[in-house]
Amino acid sequence: MKKTSTLEERIKQASLAPMWTRPKMLAKPKSKCSEQLWSFKEIKNLLLEASPHITPEDSERRVLILESKDLPESFFLSPTLFAGVQLLLPGEVAAAHRHSQAAIRFIFEGDGAYASVGGEKVSLEKGDLLINPRNEWHDHGHEGKIPALWLDVLDVPLVDVVDAQFREWSNQAKQEVNFTDGHSNLLFSNGLRATTGELFKSRESTHQDYIRKYSYINSRRTLNELMSSKKLDPYKGAELVYVDPRGGSVLPTIDAFLQGIPAKFSTLNYQSTETKIVVVAEGEIKIVFDDKSYILKENDIFLIPSWRKYSMTGVTDAVLFSASNKPLLVSTGLWNEVKA
Ligand code: GTQ
Ligand code: FE2
């Protein structure tokens, strides 16, 4: 005898779900990932151990992904951000490709490595920030002597959730170099901007018009100036945001910051809806939550999830680089912060 299905079963069979049995909407953010610390030394050792077996030719990029322990098998740092540490050895080439995911890179160490981004060959030194907009061709190479390591931060999960992935491989491993290091900086510096010339030609690429590299020497000099003004912010110490000279964040979905925290200086409790990845560029800091604290040494990496309240103390004088999804929150009206 045929059993009559229940109302619940018939609802489910019709591709419907009863909202009356669903969990309630949240009253405040409850992040899908918790705070997490990665030791640079550990990542570097694992990458070096993997390096004879995993070449850039086989793997396209030799990267260890920072995967949140709360998002297993996802390859994601957070619901909107991807992060990884990349190792390139002297003589190696990571072949040219382009994709709809946008990237920034922050250099940990290595001398003589370079990135070609949109035809400009840019040298990479510790603390440099590199911008790689969507759909811009890029390849990496190494003409120096010591292994180069850098942090990649991309909006991979976001591009995935909106079903907008595109990727293309070049038939040339290395791009033709059209511009030497510093070209895009010069065209945007000293209060000047080109109104003629190749920047305004429409090429295959949609992104000719941006700064490829924010060099650490320059950013550090600006941070020094801000710190020596002695007007430290109680919640941030001294903080700079990297800006696109056309206005706004360096990428539409990712903001980058450089922050100074003097030894013994403690910031007051702060929380916001951004998800932030922090790298200690210099010195050592302590990050304190109401139930836990963490010590971060040079080059260590830390994830601060949305709405987790924290404060920071300089163990020594410290400089922090960070990247977050703030532009995404601001542009959609979802940015919230509490200074408490
Ligand atoms: O260097 O082009 O960590 O395309 C992830 C995807 C690095 C890169 C990553 C990439 C790259
Ligand atoms: Fe890439």
Side-chain angles (χ1 to χ4, degrees):
M1 203 169 60
K2 200 174 160 217
K3 212 176 132 212
T4 48
S5 34
T6 62
L7 173 63
E8 283 73 20
E9 280 162 0
R10 280 179 288 132
I11 288 173
K12 205 174 164 194
Q13 274 156 17
S15 289
L16 299 167
M19 197 158 113
W20 55 87
T21 66
R22 297 262 130 185
K24 292 216 169 65
M25 303 293 180
L26 300 176
K28 56 182 166 44
K30 186 173 180 299
S31 181
K32 290 166 197 68
C33 49
S34 43
E35 78 273 4
Q36 195 169 342
L37 170 66
W38 284 268
S39 150
F40 175 72
K41 211 189 252 177
E42 189 177 8
I43 300 170
K44 179 180 171 179
N45 287 338
L46 291 168
L47 275 168
L48 288 170
E49 197 180 324
S51 64
H53 317 293
I54 310 293
T55 64
E57 286 92 61
D58 317 323
S59 65
E60 212 169 341
R61 301 292 188 259
R62 187 192 290 114
V63 170
L64 281 176
I65 297 167
L66 307 179
E67 185 184 72
S68 163
K69 61 180 169 1
D70 302 309
L71 305 170
E73 313 289 315
S74 68
F75 298 147
F76 297 162
L77 175 76
S78 81
T80 61
L81 295 172
F82 165 102
V85 176
Q86 185 160 169
L87 169 68
L88 194 69
L89 297 175
E92 288 183 335
V93 170
H97 68 198
R98 64 175 181 169
H99 39 73
S100 57
Q101 297 89 350
I104 62 168
R105 310 186 203 287
F106 184 76
I107 317 307
F108 292 116
E109 56 188 38
D111 223 11
Y114 68 86
S116 277
V117 192
E120 182 174 326
K121 186 175 170 182
V122 173
S123 63
L124 307 175
E125 314 250 348
K126 177 177 167 63
D128 291 350
L129 172 67
L130 197 71
I131 308 301
N132 196 140
R134 294 192 200 299
N135 305 316
E136 191 72 305
W137 289 106
H138 53 287
D139 57 88
H140 318 305
H142 198 324
E143 294 162 346
K145 291 204 163 53
I146 59 165
L149 290 120
W150 62 79
L151 176 74
D152 295 309
V153 182
L154 291 87
D155 56 8
V156 174
L158 178 78
V159 174
D160 185 47
V161 81
V162 297
D163 293 330
Q165 289 199 45
F166 294 92
R167 181 170 275 255
E168 211 180 320
W169 292 267
S170 175
N171 46 22
Q172 284 177 295
K174 296 185 192 187
Q175 284 174 78
E176 188 187 322
V177 176
N178 295 317
F179 310 113
T180 49
D181 202 3
H183 173 82
S184 57
N185 295 83
L186 259 183
L187 285 169
F188 276 118
S189 299
N190 308 315
L192 295 168
R193 187 173 166 195
T195 62
T196 60
E198 70 279 351
L199 286 174
F200 286 82
K201 267 191 220 153
S202 171
R203 295 188 180 216
E204 251 201 303
S205 163
T206 51
H207 297 281
Q208 292 298 310
D209 198 3
Y210 65 93
I211 288 182
R212 304 310 197 257
K213 179 173 81 173
Y214 296 74
S215 83
Y216 195 58
I217 293 173
N218 291 338
S219 322
R220 196 61 182 79
R221 202 181 286 147
T222 307
L223 188 67
N224 260 354
E225 187 69 14
L226 185 64
M227 292 188 83
S228 63
S229 72
K230 301 275 186 255
K231 283 188 196 140
L232 293 174
D233 180 88
Y235 299 93
K236 302 266 176 176
E239 189 191 59
L240 301 168
V241 60
Y242 293 84
V243 292
D244 183 320
R246 295 164 296 183
S249 48
V250 289
L251 290 174
T253 51
I254 299 176
D255 247 329
F257 306 91
L258 197 68
Q259 189 175 4
I261 309 275
K264 299 195 180 76
F265 181 86
S266 286
T267 62
L268 299 179
N269 277 335
Y270 178 83
Q271 69 190 133
S272 80
T273 46
E274 79 190 324
T275 300
K276 194 170 227 196
I277 180 167
V278 177
V279 174
V280 180
E282 291 175 42
E284 195 172 318
I285 60 153
K286 188 177 179 183
I287 298 192
V288 182
F289 300 89
D290 57 5
D291 51 355
K292 273 184 203 161
S293 69
Y294 301 81
I295 296 283
L296 281 66
K297 297 184 192 316
E298 189 175 329
N299 285 345
D300 283 352
I301 309 164
F302 195 83
L303 171 67
I304 303 174
S306 169
W307 220 239
R308 188 80 160 115
K309 192 187 285 179
Y310 67 95
S311 73
M312 295 196 290
T313 301
V315 176
T316 65
D317 285 345
V319 177
L320 309 179
F321 170 81
S322 64
S324 89
N325 60 353
K326 184 175 178 181
L328 192 61
L329 296 158
V330 171
S331 64
T332 50
L334 294 170
W335 171 251
N336 280 280
E337 63 181 347
V338 174
K339 295 176 172 179

